[in-house]
Amino acid sequence: MGLMIVSWTAMAGMVVTALAMVLTPGPNMIYLVSRSIGQGRTAGLISLAGTGVGFVAYLTLANLGLAVVFVAVPWLFMGFKAAGALYLGYLAFQALRPGGRGLFETTDLPRDSNAKLFRMGLVTNLLNPKAAIMYLALIPQFIDPARGHTAAQGFLLGGVQITVSMLVNAAIVVAAGAVAALIARRPEWAVWQRRITGTLLGAVALLLAREVPQRARI
């Protein structure tokens, strides 16, 4: 036990924190659920794989200290947040615009390729730089310098967060996929699904837009 890089207490704390993060609805969850409902659970899981790669990229940047650039260059951080807000706003517009094709329509929905699903899952995560800031602000709280190998501790704790996030999101995606068959039998539900999804996307876009002026802090 003495050879463990991190303590059991730190591991448990990271698990609880990761659960709190993943169960709080955000851009990633909304996109994954919408893809799963619109194109099926396989599409949702492929998108989730792209999201996972985004987490790994941010974890690597955070542990290498490169994400500190968001703190040193405030306008860059604000630019990333603005891009994320605009992207979600565009998705909301596509879902809500009168007479337009529903972005998440379960009938006659153009099938995105696996590559595009993966890419969009990755982009959705990368356009949410709060992930990088969370790693910078969160993981150091569970690192014990006395144990040494601080970078290894950071990667291990980050791996715990990613594992918890992927498992919970996968369960949500699989459950959401079952809704597609139900909506297919009741076309009128698709209209409400589109309105609800568009409204949720718009709400998240507004929340992110409010945070754009805020500077990054470690």
Side-chain angles (χ1 to χ4, degrees):
M1 294 292 181
L3 295 178
M4 282 188 61
I5 298 178
V6 298
S7 68
W8 285 110
T9 300
M11 290 281 282
M14 195 68 236
V15 169
V16 171
T17 302
L19 279 172
M21 289 168 55
V22 73
L23 292 176
T24 302
N28 290 338
M29 180 184 292
I30 292 174
Y31 177 74
L32 292 172
V33 168
S34 64
R35 281 293 82 194
S36 184
I37 292 177
Q39 196 169 327
R41 64 183 60 177
T42 299
L45 291 173
I46 293 173
S47 299
L48 176 59
T51 299
V53 172
F55 276 131
V56 172
Y58 271 136
L59 172 61
T60 302
L61 290 174
N63 276 284
L64 294 179
L66 298 180
V68 175
V69 72
F70 284 139
V71 178
V73 188
W75 63 265
L76 183 60
F77 177 61
M78 295 175 189
F80 265 79
K81 288 195 292 183
L86 287 173
Y87 171 67
L88 289 176
Y90 168 76
L91 293 182
F93 171 75
Q94 288 291 93
L96 294 172
R97 65 192 179 102
R101 187 190 68 204
L103 184 63
F104 307 123
E105 210 55 70
T106 58
T107 55
D108 299 324
L109 177 70
R111 313 293 287 185
D112 288 332
S113 67
N114 290 347
K116 183 175 181 179
L117 289 168
F118 181 89
R119 184 170 64 251
M120 292 305 291
L122 173 62
V123 169
T124 300
N125 204 7
L126 291 181
L127 284 179
N128 182 18
K130 289 173 65 176
I133 302 304
M134 267 189 276
Y135 286 132
L136 284 172
L138 215 58
I139 291 180
Q141 299 182 35
F142 299 99
I143 292 178
D144 183 2
R147 288 177 176 264
H149 307 290
T150 55
Q153 289 187 56
F155 276 107
L156 179 58
L157 291 168
V160 170
Q161 181 271 323
I162 292 174
T163 299
V164 170
S165 179
M166 295 293 283
L167 289 175
V168 173
N169 275 315
I172 293 173
V173 163
V174 169
V179 178
L182 186 62
I183 290 181
R185 295 196 298 269
R186 295 179 178 272
E188 68 276 11
W189 287 16
V191 177
W192 285 103
Q193 171 234 318
R194 184 157 53 91
R195 291 173 179 171
I196 293 171
T197 302
T199 301
L200 289 174
L201 285 168
V204 175
L206 289 175
L207 288 174
L208 287 181
R210 288 181 56 190
E211 297 177 1
V212 168
Q214 297 178 4
R215 291 169 175 261
R217 291 187 293 272
I218 297 179

